[in-house]
Amino acid sequence: MGKRRKSTGAIFSLAFITILCLGICLALFTFLEVNRRTEAAFGPPSPGLDPLQQLRLSAQLLLQVDLISEPVDKFGDPVPFEIPLGESPPLIASRLEAVGLIPDAQTFIIYLKYTGLDTTLQAGEYTLSPAASPRELAHILQDATPSEVTLSVLPGWRLEQIAATLPTSGLEISPE
């Protein structure tokens, strides 16, 4: 009877270890597959994310892919939008949602964090289109260079002086 208890205990131990190993393998496979799919859809994750953050953000993005990839209004008119210096990404996202440029502020923030774009949003004045997807808007908000620039040339300036002001004017013209 003692041997039977030992063999039954060994079988239960072996079954437990097998189930544990299968669970670990399944968790690892899930982690790798979710990350692979998210990376294929949205590009590489921010290097600043730890593995659990990466998994959480990846899973949330995959579940809400339509909210980040589809524009709010394909035929909407452009809207002026200003980001003041020092405004936080969650506040920017809330304002974008309020003016109808993105469908969901929380999903937008998840995308920004996943890609690392949350740390590089630029203050400035933009003209944003609801025909752009939230994903496209996130990239547009990385560059606040205005599309039109006024360059004043003062009377009496020499050509060298005009050329010297070009790099700070916002124009893409080489001083040469």
Side-chain angles (χ1 to χ4, degrees):
M1 191 162 190
K3 286 185 181 182
R4 189 171 204 178
R5 284 187 185 167
K6 286 183 182 180
S7 66
T8 303
I11 290 173
F12 282 128
S13 295
L14 185 59
F16 176 75
I17 291 171
T18 302
I19 291 171
L20 183 64
C21 287
L22 287 173
I24 291 171
C25 288
L26 181 62
L28 181 61
F29 174 76
T30 302
F31 174 77
L32 293 174
E33 185 61 17
V34 166
N35 287 336
R36 184 192 65 76
R37 286 184 182 189
T38 308
E39 195 165 331
F42 299 105
S46 170
L49 297 175
D50 67 47
L52 289 178
Q53 288 175 317
Q54 184 178 340
L55 178 63
R56 180 179 57 83
L57 295 173
S58 294
Q60 289 174 317
L61 278 176
L62 287 177
L63 291 172
Q64 300 173 338
V65 67
D66 294 345
L67 292 177
I68 200 69
S69 299
E70 297 295 322
V72 172
D73 182 2
K74 291 182 182 182
F75 305 105
D77 293 327
V79 176
F81 189 82
E82 182 178 351
I83 299 177
L85 191 62
E87 186 171 30
S88 70
L91 188 53
I92 294 168
S94 294
R95 290 192 315 109
L96 285 168
E97 183 179 10
V99 296
L101 289 167
I102 61 173
D104 184 62
Q106 190 59 39
T107 303
F108 187 71
I109 290 296
I110 290 168
Y111 177 74
L112 291 176
K113 286 181 181 178
Y114 173 81
T115 57
L117 296 176
D118 61 327
T119 61
T120 56
L121 295 175
Q122 296 292 309
E125 295 180 13
Y126 297 89
T127 301
L128 303 175
S129 172
S133 72
R135 187 176 174 183
E136 292 167 332
L137 290 174
H139 291 280
I140 291 169
L141 296 176
Q142 302 300 305
D143 182 13
T145 304
S147 58
E148 292 183 16
V149 176
T150 302
L151 177 66
S152 298
V153 177
L154 298 176
W157 271 13
R158 295 186 321 274
L159 192 57
E160 298 83 27
Q161 291 172 307
I162 296 170
T165 64
L166 289 176
T168 60
S169 69
L171 296 171
E172 293 185 19
I173 300 173
S174 167
E176 289 80 34

